[in-house]
Amino acid sequence: MSVHKDVKKVTTHVLQEMKNAGEKITMLTGYDFSMARIIDNAGIDVILVGDSASNVMAGHETTLPITLNEMIYHASSVVRGVDRALVVVDLPFGSYQGNSKEALSSAIRIMKESGAHSVKMEGGQEILESITRILTAGIPVMGHLGLTPQSIYKFGTYVVRAKEKDEAALLIEDAKALEAAGCFAIVLEKIPADLATKVAKEITIPIIGIGAGGGVDGQVLVVHDMLGINNEFNPRFLRKYNNLYEQMTGSFKEYINDVRSGDFPNEEEQY
Ligand code: KIV
């Protein structure tokens, strides 16, 4: 039974308590006010304003082009729609990798200008100085390891990461470094389920998986993917809870026909 589902506001401490109590953490992405409101009212624990907005909202091929200003716009829209969930915002590519001072000023802009509760950053030991500086300012940080889409041009493809021993060992080291630095949780993306389970057992902070199997402390999906809005994205890890692409197309076609035929608006739909 979930003890924490009735908490008024989800905090990083609540997430830790959930892990300690063996309660699964639920997380979805959100990018705008209306969707955030629906997701929050449904009872989600965490809303991630992901830089996947670059793909699903702006239509870019990768997450690299989205800017800090655009992330702040999405984050502030989400924050206005949320009463209960913890709001985490991705620091976009180029806003934190350069140096820790720049990383801190990017994180401060997100917190000040959007009202969000925390930030997420992709990478392990190579960005530890930036993570530590942001944490020192009192800003909670969620880590992100495994497939890190901001490094897509280094990886070359979106295939499963850390299948080989060396990469798996490095991922465990990175997860331990993020935990020691004080991150409040870590997202593990697209890695073997056995490895993710091992990390979730060895690390005391919550581990949230996407394409990382069921042995972790919680799950995250991109909301457009799980609603089936984008019918071209069908990875194995994705469960579609709707087929909104088809449902929305049906509604749009009906509206077009109704307007063209003069059926809409009818007598009751006018003043
Ligand atoms: O940007 C995003 O949506 C993410 C999730 C896939 C975890 O980082």
Side-chain angles (χ1 to χ4, degrees), residues 31-34 36 72-82 114:
Y31 316 101
D32 66 358
F33 168 80
S34 303
I72 290 170
Y73 166 77
H74 286 297
S76 49
S77 308
V78 165
V79 167
R80 285 191 287 271
V82 167
S114 76

Side-chain angles (χ1 to χ4, degrees), residues 219-271:
Q219 298 292 327
V220 55
L221 285 175
V222 169
V223 69
H224 287 60
D225 298 341
M226 62 86 78
L227 290 176
I229 291 177
N230 173 6
N231 67 350
E232 285 156 24
F233 186 63
N234 296 299
R236 174 173 167 168
F237 70 78
L238 175 63
R239 184 178 294 179
K240 289 194 182 182
Y241 288 84
N242 214 315
N243 189 341
L244 282 197
Y245 182 89
E246 275 177 16
Q247 289 196 28
M248 289 168 84
T249 304
S251 303
F252 297 144
K253 282 188 170 164
E254 226 180 293
Y255 168 74
I256 291 165
N257 285 339
D258 287 353
V259 172
R260 285 186 179 151
S261 69
D263 181 73
F264 175 79
N266 63 24
E267 288 292 320
E268 280 84 48
E269 290 161 333
Q270 53 191 298
Y271 300 100

Side-chain angles (χ1 to χ4, degrees), residues 11 56 59 82 91 137 140 146 148 159 166 182-183 204 224 245:
T11 62
V56 297
V82 167
L91 279 182
T148 46
V159 294
D166 287 357
C183 286
T204 57
H224 287 60
Y245 182 89

Side-chain angles (χ1 to χ4, degrees), residues 6-53:
D6 295 326
V7 293
K8 281 217 162 65
K9 284 222 178 278
V10 180
T11 62
T12 57
H13 299 278
V14 168
L15 298 183
Q16 185 63 57
E17 283 171 15
M18 289 176 76
K19 170 159 182 151
N20 298 346
E23 289 174 31
K24 295 281 187 185
I25 296 164
T26 60
M27 172 160 145
L28 280 172
T29 65
Y31 316 101
D32 66 358
F33 168 80
S34 303
M35 189 75 91
R37 208 174 159 126
I38 298 170
I39 300 171
D40 190 52
N41 283 338
I44 205 83
D45 300 311
V46 185
I47 296 186
L48 169 66
V49 185
D51 59 358
S52 48

Side-chain angles (χ1 to χ4, degrees), residues 198-213:
K198 182 171 156 66
V199 174
K201 280 200 180 123
E202 287 186 16
I203 301 286
T204 57
I205 57 175
I207 303 295
I208 316 287
I210 172 165

